[in-house]
């Protein structure tokens, strides 16, 4: 028994926020400097009334429209997000109804950010190999911009909104890739380096948590908005991601030179360049594709995969290592081998 | 590796004249030693010297003395 990634699709909101838009709001910022620091020119922004669930539905509908999958056959729906529609109930339950999935479909939310897609692949594969499921719909969707203060350069320039959907199946026919082993990890000591401090039960919202203050660098935010210690997160990334990838390569008994593509969470251009340098990879081994969409957190890896497919950047037989890492801290690396004849998908993707 | 070698490497990374740096220099004294400059220093330390900066100690990257301490702690100073 194996598990296969069949199809991937995504949705990005129509509205974009360019670096120039941010400079209009922050006259001391510089659009070229933002690009130099992040590799990002613009990011997509969900409409005020548009939720992560809404974006997830759009991504799934895009996927279903080209796949002809029978909704009745989907027996698990995993919805991964850090910006769910409600505290209660799980957004996955709402999506089960909106997507007209079977009532026998198990549906649950997973609260993870940038590691969500690779965690989701690991969960889906485990369910399939364990015989608990045959068709798993994995939805990763985040509206991170709702947490960002537009006057906080650490977060406002990086994050964008978006959603992705992937079908993971026990059936090999028509599959894009076989899902291999994963290595996963967690280090809760990093929880406070990337956090929305207020709004949960630890620190409920109040007049005080809504009060905006400036940090030492002049960035504005309140306690209900996203705080990111960029240097600490970068330090975590440099120490954890190469090590996690080495663990995975040891498990699958391959050298890094044998890997065609390292498909990493698209955090920011500087960080990905640094990882490329740190791991001594060729530029073509580690694609960077966030200039037009920014960091879409949980959706970034499947969006990268789909956009590479659409550009012909993924070929039959390729060996790929996926790496999701971030908030938590949490990380997961997964091995994928592109099928030798993923004909139907590549035709759709071309 | 000497303290001066460390200072020279910091200067090279931040693209500031090495004579402007000494053991007492701090990030707040230099425009180039902003968050991107700090992360560039971290990349040099981890990639070129294989040093590790313990979690929660990246504040050490905000001063020459702190960076020298990282080399010292790793037994890399002569």
């Amino acid at each position: 028994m194996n598990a296969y990634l069949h199809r991937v699709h995504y949705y990005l909101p129509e509205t974009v926020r360019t670096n120039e838009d941010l400079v209009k709001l922050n006259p001391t910022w510089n659009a070229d400097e933002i690009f130099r620091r992040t590799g990002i020119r613009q990011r997509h922004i969900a409409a005020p009334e548009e939720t992560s669930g809404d974006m997830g539905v759009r991504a799934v509908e895009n996927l279903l429209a080209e796949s002809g999958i029978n909704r009745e056959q989907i027996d698990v729906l995993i919805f991964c997000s850090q910006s769910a529609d409600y505290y209660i109930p799980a957004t996955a339950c709402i999506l089960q109804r909106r997507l007209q999935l079977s009532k026998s479909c198990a549906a649950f939310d997973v609260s993870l950010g940038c590691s969500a897609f690779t965690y989701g692949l690991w969960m889906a594969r485990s369910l399939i190999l364990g015989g608990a499921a045959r068709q798993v719909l994995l939805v990763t969707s985040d509206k991170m911009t709702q947490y960002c203060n537009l006057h906080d350069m650490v977060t406002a320039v990086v994050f964008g909104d978006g959603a992705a959907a992937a079908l993971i199946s026990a059936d090999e026919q028509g599959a894009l890739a076989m899902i291999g082993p994963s290595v996963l990890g967690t280090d809760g000591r990093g929880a406070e380096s990337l956090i929305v401090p207020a709004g949960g039960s630890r620190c409920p919202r109040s007049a005080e948590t809504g009060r905006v203050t400036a940090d030492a660098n002049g960035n504005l935010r309140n306690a209900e908005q996203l705080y990111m210690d960029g240097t600490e997160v970068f330090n975590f990334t440099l120490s954890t991601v190469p090590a996690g990838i080495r663990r995975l390569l040891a498990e699958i008994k391959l050298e890094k030179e044998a890997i065609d593509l390292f498909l990493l969470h698209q955090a920011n251009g500087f960080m990905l360049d640094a990882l490329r340098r740190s791991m001594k990879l060729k530029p073509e081994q580690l694609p960077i594709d966030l200039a037009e969409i920014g960091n879409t957190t949980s959706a970034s890896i499947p969006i990268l995969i789909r956009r590479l497919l659409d550009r012909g950047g993924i070929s039959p037989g390729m060996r790929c290592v996926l790496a999701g890492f971030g908030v938590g801290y949490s990380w997961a690396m997964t091995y994928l081998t592109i099928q030798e004849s993923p004909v139907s998908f590549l035709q759709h993707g071309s | 590796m000497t303290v001066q070698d460390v200072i020279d490497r910091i200067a090279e990374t931040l693209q500031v004249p090495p004579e402007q740096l000494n053991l007492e220099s701090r990030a707040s004294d230099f425009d180039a030693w902003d968050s991107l400059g700090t992360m560039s220093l971290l990349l040099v330390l981890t990639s070129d010297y294989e040093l590790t900066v313990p979690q929660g100690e990246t504040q050490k990257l905000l001063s020459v003395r702190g960076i020298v301490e990282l080399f010292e702690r790793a037994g890399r100073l002569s």
Side-chain angles (χ1 to χ4, degrees):
Chain A
M1 173 78 79
N2 284 308
Y4 299 91
L5 176 62
H6 269 241
R7 293 177 183 275
V8 184
H9 218 312
Y10 65 93
Y11 164 78
L12 294 170
E14 194 175 332
T15 302
V16 296
R17 183 179 291 145
T18 65
N19 292 350
E20 288 73 18
D21 294 333
L22 288 167
V23 169
K24 280 181 196 159
L25 296 167
N26 302 278
T28 59
W29 297 6
N30 177 293
D32 293 335
E33 183 67 8
I34 294 171
F35 179 69
R36 189 178 76 84
R37 285 168 173 268
T38 63
I40 297 167
R41 288 196 180 87
Q42 66 176 39
R43 58 294 289 153
H44 291 251
I45 310 297
E49 70 282 2
E50 189 173 35
T51 68
S52 293
D54 295 333
M55 293 193 293
V57 167
R58 297 288 292 269
V60 174
E61 293 294 358
N62 287 341
L63 180 139
L64 295 177
E66 69 174 23
S67 67
I69 298 162
N70 183 347
R71 295 168 197 247
E72 288 289 316
Q73 290 180 342
I74 293 170
D75 37 26
V76 178
L77 166 63
I78 304 173
F79 181 80
C80 303
S81 182
Q82 299 266 274
S83 47
D85 289 13
Y86 300 99
Y87 287 118
I88 298 172
T91 306
C93 298
I94 295 168
L95 261 57
Q96 177 274 335
R97 179 185 179 198
R98 291 179 64 182
L99 293 167
Q100 299 173 297
L101 303 182
S102 161
K103 283 186 185 171
S104 61
C105 173
F108 56 92
D109 283 9
V110 172
S111 176
L112 285 172
C114 308
S115 62
F117 184 70
T118 38
Y119 256 84
L121 289 181
W122 170 72
M123 279 186 278
R125 177 177 185 257
S126 301
L127 289 167
I128 288 169
L129 298 193
R134 287 196 63 82
Q135 311 273 4
V136 179
L137 186 57
L138 172 62
V139 183
T140 52
S141 180
D142 268 303
K143 186 180 179 180
M144 288 304 285
T145 61
Q146 70 184 345
Y147 297 132
C148 298
N149 190 304
L150 287 171
H151 306 289
D152 181 355
M153 191 186 246
V154 180
T155 57
V157 301
V158 171
F159 293 105
D161 301 327
L167 180 72
I168 297 107
S169 172
D171 300 326
E172 182 174 12
Q173 190 175 7
L176 168 68
M178 185 168 77
I179 304 171
S182 296
V183 299
L184 303 96
T186 311
D187 186 352
R189 290 179 302 166
E192 292 178 5
S193 296
L194 190 48
I195 189 169
V196 177
S201 55
R202 174 68 62 194
C203 180
R205 287 183 178 211
S206 66
E208 180 60 23
T209 63
R211 193 168 62 84
V212 174
T213 57
D215 67 16
N217 297 312
N219 293 307
L220 303 181
R221 82 183 76 83
N222 66 34
E224 297 160 15
Q225 294 174 321
L226 183 65
Y227 164 75
M228 179 163 71
D229 184 331
T231 310
E232 280 292 333
V233 172
F234 186 58
N235 191 30
F236 148 74
T237 303
L238 283 182
S239 63
T240 306
V241 174
I245 288 174
R246 281 195 298 273
R247 268 182 62 204
L248 180 64
L249 291 176
E251 185 166 333
I252 60 178
K253 297 181 173 55
L254 287 175
E255 300 292 328
K256 68 174 189 271
E257 292 74 17
I259 302 300
D260 298 294
L261 290 173
F262 289 85
L263 303 173
L264 270 54
H265 162 54
Q266 300 289 289
N268 70 63
F270 181 83
M271 188 179 282
L272 290 165
D273 263 337
L275 287 167
R276 196 149 64 184
R277 175 175 157 186
S278 171
M279 293 191 288
K280 298 180 174 57
L281 299 176
K282 297 174 193 162
E284 60 270 23
Q285 278 183 292
L286 197 162
I288 299 175
D289 180 22
L290 45 55
E292 310 305 322
I293 54 179
N295 175 339
T296 52
T297 54
S298 62
S300 83
I301 295 174
I303 291 175
L304 172 69
I305 291 172
R306 179 60 195 227
R307 285 165 63 95
L308 279 171
L309 281 164
D310 288 349
R311 290 201 300 264
I314 294 181
S315 306
M318 274 187 161
R319 295 166 169 167
C320 307
V321 166
L322 279 53
F325 50 89
V327 60
Y329 299 131
S330 166
W331 59 94
M333 290 77 184
T334 300
Y335 181 54
L336 280 188
T337 47
I338 306 299
Q339 295 287 91
E340 288 298 338
S341 305
V343 180
S344 59
F345 187 91
L346 291 176
Q347 280 175 343
H348 275 296
S350 61
Chain B
M1 190 154 197
T2 66
V3 170
Q4 189 56 50
D5 291 334
V6 175
I7 289 175
D8 288 346
R9 194 63 206 267
I10 294 171
E12 181 192 342
T13 304
L14 298 175
Q15 296 182 305
V16 300
E19 56 273 17
Q20 289 185 12
L21 288 169
N22 59 51
L23 205 50
E24 305 309 317
S25 300
R26 303 187 64 80
S28 53
D29 302 331
F30 299 88
D31 288 343
W33 202 339
D34 57 5
S35 61
L36 195 65
T38 305
M39 287 194 270
S40 298
L41 288 168
L42 178 57
L43 178 59
V44 166
L45 263 58
T46 55
S47 294
D48 296 356
Y49 298 98
E50 296 181 348
L51 294 183
T52 52
V53 181
Q55 196 169 308
E57 292 193 24
T58 54
Q59 292 291 316
K60 286 196 181 298
L61 298 165
L62 299 178
S63 68
V64 170
R65 188 176 292 281
I67 293 171
V68 167
E69 279 176 18
L70 291 169
F71 277 91
E72 202 165 30
R73 192 193 291 171
R76 306 289 281 277
L77 281 189
S78 54

